[in-house]
Amino acid sequence: MTEDRVPPETKPDVDVDPITSQAEAERAVDKLRDAVRYHNYRYHVLNSPVISDAEYDHLMRDLQRLEERFPELKTPDSPTQRVGGEPREELGVIDHPVPMLSLKAVYDEADVRAFDQNCREELGVDPVEYVAEPKYDGLAVELVYEAGQLSVASTRGDGETGEDITPNVKTIQEVPLSLLEEDSRAIPDQLVVRGEIYIRKDEFKSLNDTRVEEGKDSFANPRNAAAGSVRQLDPRVTADRPLHIFMYGVANPDDIGFETHWEAIQALPGWGLRVNLEYAERFDDVEQAISYHLHLADRREELPYEIDGAVFKVNRIEHQDRLGVRTRDPRWAVAYKFEPRRATTKVRDVQFQVGRTGKVTPVAVLDPVQVGGVEVSRASLHNQSEIDKKDIRIGDTVLVERAGDVIPHIVKSMATAGGRTDEEESRERVSIPEDCPVCGSQVVMSDDKKQAHCTNVSCPARIRENVTHHASRAGMDIEGLGEKRAEQLIDAGLVERLSDIYRLTRDDLTSLERFADHSAQNLLDEIEDSKERPLDRFIYALGIPLVGRHVSQTLAQNYKTLEELMDASEDELERIDDIGPKVAHAVVAFFQSEENREVIERIRDAGLELRNPLHTQEGKEQALEGLSFVFTGALERWTRDEVKRTVEEQGGRVTSSVSGETDYVVMGSDPGSKLGEAREREILTMDEEEFLAFVEGRV
Ligand code: IVH
C-alpha cells in the first residue's frame, strides 16, 4: 500500500444520507477512504485491527453508497475496488490463479433474505440451494496442487497477489504435501483449494501462557496468533506453533468437473485435505440456512476453535458462475456474522491487584458493556509498559475485546489518534503505586516496566493467593480450599504460610464458623490425598514467579527430585530448552530464600511423596506410551486440560479429531459425531470410568 500510514480518524463522523453537494461528497469520500485504508493496513499488514469487523463493514458500506450516488468520485484506487491488504514483500509474492475474493458481511436476517432474493431473481430459480459452513476466524490460505504435489501456498494479500508462505505451510502436519490417491476420483492436474489456518482456543491459551512465562508479549487473539505464526520469515517458528487447517472450497471447480460446492468439499477429504464436514450442511432454501446460523451461534462457545459467523454459498457451480462477482466479493456467497466480540466503553477507574507472587497488576474498571453476549466490566491492563504504550487514561473510551476464552483485554484507547484534544489530554494518567495497596510495603518495578512486585514476602494478599494457587486444580488439587476458605483460615491465624495447610487439625477447622464436622473431615481428606500429587504439580503449586504449568513440567522432566532442582544453578537451568534466563533466575532466587526453604521442608515433613513420572531417565514404561486418544462429549471428573495432561504425562497423545491413527475414543456424556466416526472406523471406545481404570493401570 502506498497510502499514508498516519492514523486518520479511526471512525470518521460522516453521515452519508443528507449529503447532496459534490464538494461535501468529495470530503466525505476522502475521509472514509483514508479510514478504510488505514484499517486494511492494521488488519492485513500489522495483524492488529483497532475497530470491530462490524464497524469496518459499516465504513465500507458508507463509502460504497456514496460512490454509487456520485459515480464520478469512484477512482480505480478506491478501497472499494479491491480486496484490501498488502503483501509483505520480504516473503515473496504469488499471483493467485483465480482471484481470492472477500465476502460481503451481513448482520441480520433481513439482509440474508435480500441476498437470497437477489440470487433467486438473477437465476430465475426458486428456491436456491445453499451450503452453510462456519466462518473460521483465522488466516485465509490458498494451496495449489500440481499433479497432486503441493506447489505453492499463499495468503490472500490484495486478492490478486498474495504472500508466498509455502515453506511455512509445509510445516503444518494437517497439510498433505501430496494428495492421496482416491479410487473414485482421479487426482486433477491442478487443484486450487482455499481454506483457513487457525489455532485452537485451548492451544492459544497454552501458547500465550508459555510466552508470558518466557517474558514475551502475548497474542491478542487466536487469529493474530495464527497469522503471526504463518507470516514468518523463519519456517521453524511456524513449525513450533499448534496450527490447524480447514479447507472450505475449490477455486477451479469447473476444471475438475465438480457440479456443486457440496460435491467439491465432500471430495477433498478423499485426497487427504481436511474439511470440517461435521459443520457443513446443504440446504434446500435460505430459511433452513438461517436456522443453521442460529444453531451455530448457540454452539459457538463450545467449539474448540474461533468462528465469527456462518458462510452461505450457492451450491450449484453453474449458478455461481452465472451470478458472478461484484468488485470485491462474489454475488453467490455471503458471510452472516455473529454479534461482534469487540465493543467500546469507558474506563471508570483502575485498581491494582496483588497476586500470589506479589505481582501488582493494574485492572481497568469499565462501564459495563455487552461484548458478544457477555457483560464485561473489568479488563486487565497487564503492566505499566502496556499502559504507557497504549496511553490509556481514566475517562478514556477504549476498545475491549473478548477472544479465545481469555479474560477481556483493552485493544486501544479511542482518544484522538495522533494527538489528544485538550480535554482528552487533561485526563488522569495511570501509574502503578509506589506502595502496595494491600500492605503498604514498597513496590519495585523492573526496568522495562513490565513487572511490578510488592517486596513483602508476608503480604496478606500474597499468602491468600498463594494458598488458593497451591490448592488449585492444576496445582495440588485440594477441593474445598478456595478463596473464601483460604481467607477464613488466614484471618483466624491458622495459616500464615503454605506449610500450615498441612498441619491443620480437625479441632482447628471445627473451631471456625460455618465449618461442620463433615466438611472439616472432607477438607482433611482432600489435603491427605493431595500428598500423592506428582512433582511437576508440586513445583507449579509452589507459586514460583514465571513458573507456570509448562515450565513446571519441563523442570520435572529434567530433575528427578525436588532436591536436585533446589540445588540447580542458573547456568544449568538455562541449558534446558524452553528455559530462558529470566525463568532460570526466578527459580534460583526462589529456592535461595531461607523462608522458602523452610516452608518446603515443613511441607515435606508432612509426608509428600513427590513421585516424578515425567522424568525422562526414569526408564519405567509409561502406561499410555504411544497411544492416541480422542475425547468426545462432557467429562465429569476432568477438564479437557487436565485429561490432556494426564494422558501426556503417561506418554500418550490427545488429538481433536478421529483419524486412522486414533487408538481410543473416550466418550463423556452427550458424545458428538466423533462417536459415529469411531464406530465407522472400528476404533475402540470407552467411557470415563473405563478410561480411569485404564490410566490407573487397573486393566
Ligand atoms: S469462502 C468467495 N468459506 O472469510 C468465497 N471463507 O471474507 C470466499 N472464511 O478471510 C471465501 N471461513 O478466509 C469462505 N467457510 C468459509 C470461510 C471463509 C472463513 C474467511 C476467508 C476470508 C474471509 C472472506
Side-chain angles (χ1 to χ4, degrees), residues 71-196:
E72 47 303 1
L73 296 182
K74 209 184 254 184
T75 54
D77 70 338
S78 170
T80 56
Q81 304 302 303
R82 58 176 210 171
V83 177
E86 171 193 34
R88 254 199 200 173
E89 276 167 21
E90 311 96 283
L91 282 170
V93 289
I94 297 284
D95 289 335
H96 296 300
V98 182
M100 241 176 131
L101 301 169
S102 175
L103 283 173
K104 179 180 153 90
V106 298
Y107 291 87
D108 56 42
E109 289 183 18
D111 286 343
V112 176
R113 293 204 174 91
F115 157 79
D116 172 60
Q117 189 182 358
N118 182 59
C119 292
R120 283 185 285 114
E121 286 174 4
E122 292 272 321
L123 294 170
V125 170
D126 197 354
V128 170
E129 204 175 281
Y130 294 100
V131 172
E133 297 161 8
K135 183 171 189 303
Y136 309 105
D137 202 5
L139 177 76
V141 279
E142 173 177 274
L143 308 181
V144 181
Y145 286 88
E146 305 278 358
Q149 300 299 318
L150 175 62
S151 63
V152 181
S154 57
T155 63
R156 191 171 71 177
D158 65 7
E160 300 289 333
T161 342
E163 294 148 327
D164 181 0
I165 48 167
T166 315
N168 302 353
V169 168
K170 283 186 169 170
T171 69
I172 302 173
Q173 300 293 334
E174 290 171 1
V175 173
L177 299 182
S178 43
L179 297 179
L180 301 179
E181 296 272 0
E182 222 219 343
D183 297 339
S184 54
R185 205 180 279 276
I187 288 179
D189 294 342
Q190 189 189 47
L191 174 70
V192 184
V193 271
R194 306 268 168 84
E196 197 90 351

Side-chain angles (χ1 to χ4, degrees), residues 671-687:
S673 62
K674 288 175 194 160
L675 183 55
E677 287 174 46
R679 298 220 162 111
E680 248 167 56
R681 292 176 181 262
E682 299 185 349
I683 293 169
L684 294 174
T685 58
M686 51 173 110
D687 65 19

